[in-house]
Amino acid sequence: MKFGFKKTQGNEKHLNSKTNISTGNAPPGIAKDNPLSKMGRKNIVKKLFGKKGKGDRSLENERPHQTRAHSADLSDAAKPPKPSVGRVAGAGAPINGIQNGSRNSVEAPIQVKGGFEIPVSREKKVKKETTKDELRSSTNMLHTANVTVPSSPVSILKSNKPIGTNNGQSSATRKTMRRETSDKQAKSYAAVPVIEVTTLPRGGISMDTQGVGRIQFGIPPETIKDSMSMGLGVPSVYVVPVERFCREMGPALGVNLAEFEFPAYFNFFVQRKRCTLIVDSDDAERNIRRVFSETLLGPAAFRRTDGEGVSYMEEDFDPDFPREAIPDFQKELKHFRIMPNGEELVLETLLKFCHFEVPGDGLERNLGVPPTKFVKGSSSNSVKSQDDYEECKPVKQENANCDEDEECGETASVNVEDAMQDLENDVMKKTWTFAQAKSMGDVATVFPTDATPEQIAARTTKRVEIFKMPGGTEYILHDIDENNTIVGKARFSGHVRVSESLCIDGFGGQSVIDVAKDDEEWDNSEDEEEMISSPKTAIPRSVLPPTFHPPSFGVTVLGNSHGFDKSGSVSGYVLWINGRGVMIDPPPYSSATLEREGIRPRTIVGIILTHCHADHDAGAFQKVLTGSPVVVITTPTIYNSFIRKYAALSALSPALLRHSHRHKPAIIGAPLRFQGATFHFTYTLHTIPCVGFRVDWRGRSMVFTGDHMNIPSEIDKLQGKGVLSKARADDLRNLPLQETDLLLHEAGAPPIHTPLTELLKLPQRVKDR
């Protein structure tokens, strides 16, 4: 096949001034002596042989998206005047033997951004297939021009670097180099030590990193007590799971897996730190903010400063209740929000949010990388020198009840919980490579609190990168040093497993730590006789005749500690009236614990909710979702806070939550009759609305204060400042002094609780009760 150019007149000078190839000077941005890149050759060849790409299509179809983009840029460029007699910029001779005179060819100049053109011929009428040799010949013809065509026409405008050059490397060579680089990176990543993952007894895991210290995934109730009991240190960074409360049927149903209140309180009041919550979405942050605003600051109606706020809710009080004794919640709650430095406590004082992001071009370049040469001993003591990222082959699960020569049928029983755990283990056996983690996972980056903005921007400080894999079913953590090198890695499931054997810590002599150890020994046990004799295989006490006979009037103590005490459960009680139980601020797992003690679920008919802090309402939410329907007794203000809080946490509608139980309003100043007893409720002095009560039954009585700052000297100061009216202050002073058979008075850390030293100052007749 012959190629050639038509003779044209003029403008050789114009062309010479643009390309100047004959003088050896290349135009700006174009290499002088480098051969054409593959992409450049493809596009030139495409112009040579027509839009349809006649001839060998393998080059054109190799990366069609780039070919189309380049061709579009070429077609849009302005065409200069036609060159003359088939010569390139006055080269003085036909290019590579291309002769003039082909009657089926027409001139088709190509314009490249950057300022040069090459006139080429295009087939017009004759549809003749071009052989590979001819295609190769035409490509070699262009090599003699010493012109480099960029693979990306846009990038040539931004940089003077010859982007299209490959330094003489073939495609196979480049692929081999990329493969070798990838293999080296994979081997280097495999050598990174694995961070030790500690499973917590109440659920969740904890990992120690060099970058930001301990990080915890999953936040079940009283989780900080696990860290304190195990000597791990309470973390300040928490990954909030996608599922924020347990939906599995059983004792753990309704357990809050994002109970961040006490981790935040402990970090702020004890460790003087701010708690970081890593969340998966903006919606998760909004819900957590809604919850924490309700529990930390109180109902929004008492915090408004636009003139629309109120001091109290009229529906909480009987019309005959003295107006001067009604609490002014705007003043009282604001008093507790003022910190010692005079600033007002806000949500951002305790919490900081971190989000998962999709790695873009800018973010992906700043991610940590495996070490080029891993040095043993460079990691902290918290990492193990073992690799669990190796490829794992599927393990065939054999039926333990079948002999080797016996064919197993399909009638074998399957434990659902074990099957789910096996499925989760199979998923965890799959290997995520370093490249997959970067390309498939959303990443959240946590920096140390002492890092400066400049260090954060330049990524010259320690940090931790956490990748949430698709669906949130799995996470990969990278511990990164100041040199942007990964020095530790961890991989963990996105499912927070809560043991079905959990109970109230300390109740009946049982310890949460001991229960967790028993579960671990059970899971790892291979002794058949030991498994048969284990308490887990014994007949549940709930199906045995009851051994506990409720009294006509009395109290069972479920827990008598507080949220920061690692040795016991938070406070909670069961008030017995005529053989039926009314839970008072039940701790988590109360229902399951009572059932194991032989107390039927239907024996519990009501819950008294004093306020909406996590150590008082977590068990109440769990109870309303499980077992028989119950009556929730509290004021309308506290009840509405409870519904708003757990609707946000559980993603259940408020209407659905209200249908799961019955609310019996406790009205201040009006007696409430329930199960044959009479209750009198009153508001105590606390950071959010909280109630105490007196209950009378057939001449016997009990007083329960709830959380209450009963410090007489402080009450006097608040009265002097106008925060408390005289009638309100007198009501608070007289609460523990009334005549009763039993007084249950709370004690805790001031200034929001009553210190034990103040209780010791009470009259002896009161202390005797």
Side-chain angles (χ1 to χ4, degrees):
M1 180 178 179
K2 294 184 178 181
F3 301 91
F5 296 109
K6 280 188 176 183
K7 292 185 179 181
T8 57
Q9 299 296 327
N11 277 330
E12 286 189 349
K13 182 179 180 180
H14 171 75
L15 186 58
N16 285 337
S17 64
K18 281 190 174 183
T19 58
N20 225 5
I21 293 177
S22 62
T23 61
N25 297 324
I30 297 182
K32 171 184 173 184
D33 298 320
N34 289 324
L36 289 171
S37 68
K38 179 188 289 187
M39 275 307 305
R41 294 198 303 270
K42 283 192 298 181
N43 288 304
I44 297 283
V45 170
K46 185 173 182 180
K47 282 291 183 180
L48 277 169
F49 296 105
K51 188 173 182 181
K52 298 295 184 181
K54 299 185 185 303
D56 188 356
R57 297 170 181 247
S58 61
L59 288 176
E60 178 185 350
N61 295 332
E62 185 174 352
R63 294 177 69 183
H65 59 286
Q66 289 197 16
T67 303
R68 288 193 300 269
H70 192 61
S71 298
D73 265 13
L74 294 176
S75 63
D76 292 340
K79 297 181 179 180
K82 297 179 181 180
S84 60
V85 291
R87 303 175 185 269
V88 179
I95 299 177
N96 213 28
I98 294 181
Q99 300 296 326
N100 194 21
S102 175
R103 62 186 179 85
N104 293 321
S105 63
V106 295
E107 182 182 291
I110 297 176
Q111 177 68 33
V112 178
K113 291 184 178 181
F116 79 99
E117 70 175 280
I118 302 176
V120 297
S121 63
R122 178 187 300 168
E123 294 257 274
K124 183 176 181 183
K125 294 181 180 179
V126 179
K127 296 183 178 180
K128 179 182 177 182
E129 292 295 330
T130 305
T131 65
K132 292 184 179 180
D133 292 337
E134 291 172 335
L135 178 64
R136 190 178 299 109
S137 175
S138 62
T139 305
N140 293 333
M141 168 268 295
L142 294 175
H143 272 269
T144 61
N146 268 342
V147 179
T148 299
V149 179
S151 60
S152 175
V154 177
S155 59
I156 197 171
L157 302 178
K158 300 180 180 179
S159 172
N160 290 329
K161 184 178 179 179
I163 299 177
T165 62
N166 291 309
N167 297 323
Q169 297 172 354
S170 66
S171 175
T173 302
R174 293 195 301 274
K175 288 181 179 179
T176 301
M177 293 179 62
R178 285 196 298 266
R179 189 181 303 111
E180 290 177 353
T181 302
S182 178
D183 291 343
K184 290 179 181 179
Q185 193 177 60
K187 292 179 181 179
S188 180
Y189 185 64
V192 176
V194 178
I195 299 174
E196 183 177 4
V197 177
T198 303
T199 302
L200 302 175
R202 289 175 173 85
I205 58 173
S206 179
M207 299 156 285
D208 194 15
T209 66
Q210 297 183 33
V212 296
R214 285 221 163 255
I215 294 180
Q216 181 172 324
F217 173 75
I219 325 172
E222 299 190 278
T223 186
I224 64 173
K225 296 183 179 183
D226 288 342
S227 298
M228 296 166 69
S229 299
M230 301 175 73
L232 301 177
V234 176
S236 59
V237 180
Y238 294 84
V239 182
V240 179
V242 176
E243 286 289 344
R244 294 190 290 277
F245 91 112
C246 185
R247 301 173 185 266
E248 299 175 359
M249 294 300 297
L253 176 64
V255 171
N256 182 9
L257 302 178
E259 199 288 280
F260 50 84
E261 291 179 46
F262 270 80
Y265 297 151
F266 188 88
N267 272 279
F268 181 73
F269 293 109
V270 179
Q271 300 187 147
R272 304 299 178 185
K273 296 180 180 179
R274 188 164 60 156
C275 195
T276 299
L277 298 182
I278 305 174
V279 295
D280 65 294
S281 64
D282 292 335
D283 185 60
E285 179 179 344
R286 281 193 298 269
N287 286 333
I288 290 175
R289 284 181 175 275
R290 189 177 299 119
V291 169
F292 208 34
S293 296
E294 200 78 40
T295 61
L296 176 67
L297 310 175
F302 303 145
R303 293 183 277 117
R304 299 185 63 172
T305 58
D306 56 1
E308 299 295 329
V310 295
S311 298
Y312 63 91
M313 292 295 181
E314 189 67 44
E315 59 184 346
D316 289 349
F317 300 91
D318 185 76
D320 296 332
F321 188 77
R323 300 293 98 178
E324 62 275 9
I326 294 178
D328 187 333
F329 284 120
Q330 275 195 336
K331 294 180 179 179
E332 291 183 13
L333 302 189
K334 185 175 181 179
H335 163 75
F336 287 108
R337 293 199 301 268
I338 302 301
M339 296 184 293
N341 60 4
E343 297 181 0
E344 185 172 346
L345 188 69
V346 293
L347 187 144
E348 287 74 17
T349 308
L350 277 72
L351 288 183
K352 176 184 178 182
F353 290 93
C354 180
H355 286 261
F356 287 98
E357 301 176 282
V358 179
D361 292 338
L363 180 59
E364 188 172 353
R365 286 196 300 269
N366 292 326
L367 296 177
V369 296
T372 54
K373 183 178 181 181
F374 191 82
V375 181
K376 294 184 178 180
S378 63
S379 60
S380 67
N381 295 329
S382 64
V383 295
K384 324 184 270 191
S385 296
Q386 65 178 18
D387 179 30
D388 64 352
Y389 283 71
E390 296 177 354
E391 293 285 353
C392 297
K393 297 181 179 179
V395 179
K396 183 178 180 181
Q397 299 293 332
E398 302 291 347
N399 193 322
N401 297 322
C402 298
D403 296 330
E404 293 182 1
D405 299 330
E406 181 182 350
E407 185 176 350
C408 297
E410 298 181 358
T411 59
S413 61
V414 178
N415 183 285
V416 176
E417 182 181 356
D418 292 342
M420 293 299 294
Q421 185 63 34
D422 291 342
L423 179 61
E424 182 178 318
N425 292 338
D426 289 342
V427 172
M428 291 297 291
K429 286 179 182 179
K430 294 182 179 179
T431 300
W432 290 110
T433 64
F434 174 69
Q436 286 175 321
K438 291 200 306 178
S439 61
M440 297 176 62
D442 297 346
V443 62
T445 307
V446 185
F447 296 93
T449 55
D450 58 352
T452 64
E454 293 77 14
Q455 290 176 325
I456 293 175
R459 301 285 174 129
T460 56
T461 181
K462 294 180 179 180
R463 65 187 186 276
V464 169
E465 292 171 352
I466 303 174
F467 296 86
K468 178 172 69 71
M469 305 313 289
T473 57
E474 194 175 1
Y475 294 80
I476 295 175
L477 180 147
H478 290 164
D479 192 9
I480 301 171
D481 65 7
E482 303 92 335
N483 300 318
N484 203 40
T485 302
I486 301 173
V487 295
K489 63 187 178 185
R491 178 184 177 192
F492 50 93
S493 169
H495 173 68
V496 180
R497 187 183 180 191
V498 180
S499 172
E500 293 190 356
S501 304
L502 279 181
C503 60
I504 299 175
D505 196 14
F507 186 84
Q510 291 183 309
S511 168
V512 170
I513 302 294
D514 294 338
V515 169
K517 289 181 180 178
D518 292 341
D519 285 346
E520 184 177 358
E521 292 174 0
W522 165 268
D523 294 335
N524 298 330
S525 177
E526 298 180 358
D527 190 338
E528 188 172 331
E529 294 184 1
E530 181 182 346
M531 294 173 70
I532 294 176
S533 61
S534 170
K536 294 191 71 169
T537 59
I539 299 176
R541 299 188 64 174
S542 58
V543 301
L544 296 174
T547 57
F548 174 78
H549 299 280
S552 298
F553 188 74
V555 174
T556 296
V557 178
L558 299 176
N560 61 350
S561 187
H562 55 80
F564 294 166
D565 181 12
K566 64 180 181 180
S567 60
S569 174
V570 294
S571 61
Y573 309 87
V574 178
L575 172 64
W576 300 102
I577 307 172
N578 290 325
R580 291 292 181 265
V582 179
M583 287 181 166
I584 306 172
D585 292 346
Y589 318 108
S590 295
S591 299
T593 302
L594 293 177
E595 192 171 353
R596 294 190 191 104
E597 295 298 319
I599 300 175
R600 301 282 195 267
R602 290 186 176 274
T603 307
I604 306 299
V605 295
I607 298 173
I608 295 178
L609 181 62
T610 63
H611 64 296
C612 289
H613 279 156
D615 55 332
H616 293 265
D617 67 2
F621 178 67
Q622 200 177 0
K623 177 61 180 175
V624 300
L625 292 182
T626 60
S628 57
V630 293
V631 176
V632 176
I633 304 172
T634 190
T635 65
T637 292
I638 297 174
Y639 179 72
N640 290 331
S641 288
F642 175 74
I643 294 296
R644 287 192 296 265
K645 174 181 177 178
Y646 282 97
L649 274 177
S650 64
L652 299 175
S653 69
L656 179 61
L657 288 182
R658 293 177 192 273
H659 280 293
S660 65
H661 58 278
R662 184 167 64 91
H663 175 222
K664 192 173 183 65
I667 305 302
I668 309 299
L672 182 146
R673 297 281 297 177
F674 187 71
Q675 291 293 314
T678 303
F679 292 81
H680 297 271
F681 287 85
T682 186
Y683 273 117
T684 59
L685 187 59
H686 200 43
T687 57
I688 61 176
C690 178
V691 293
F693 63 88
R694 175 189 176 96
V695 56
D696 294 278
W697 181 85
R698 297 185 182 181
R700 303 175 67 182
S701 64
M702 182 193 78
V703 171
F704 183 84
T705 64
D707 282 8
H708 174 44
M709 191 196 74
N710 184 20
I711 306 175
S713 60
E714 291 296 322
I715 292 176
D716 294 342
K717 291 180 181 178
L718 293 178
Q719 181 182 346
K721 293 179 179 179
V723 176
L724 303 176
S725 65
K726 183 179 184 305
R728 168 73 167 151
D730 290 341
D731 189 35
L732 295 173
R733 295 188 188 100
N734 295 330
L735 177 61
L737 302 178
Q738 52 190 305
E739 294 296 331
T740 184
D741 296 302
L742 177 65
L743 171 65
L744 291 177
H745 199 300
E746 71 94 43
I752 63 175
H753 296 282
T754 304
L756 187 60
T757 54
E758 293 295 333
L759 296 181
L760 295 176
K761 297 177 184 178
L762 292 173
Q764 189 61 40
R765 62 179 179 83
V766 175
K767 290 189 288 185
D768 291 341
R769 298 196 296 271

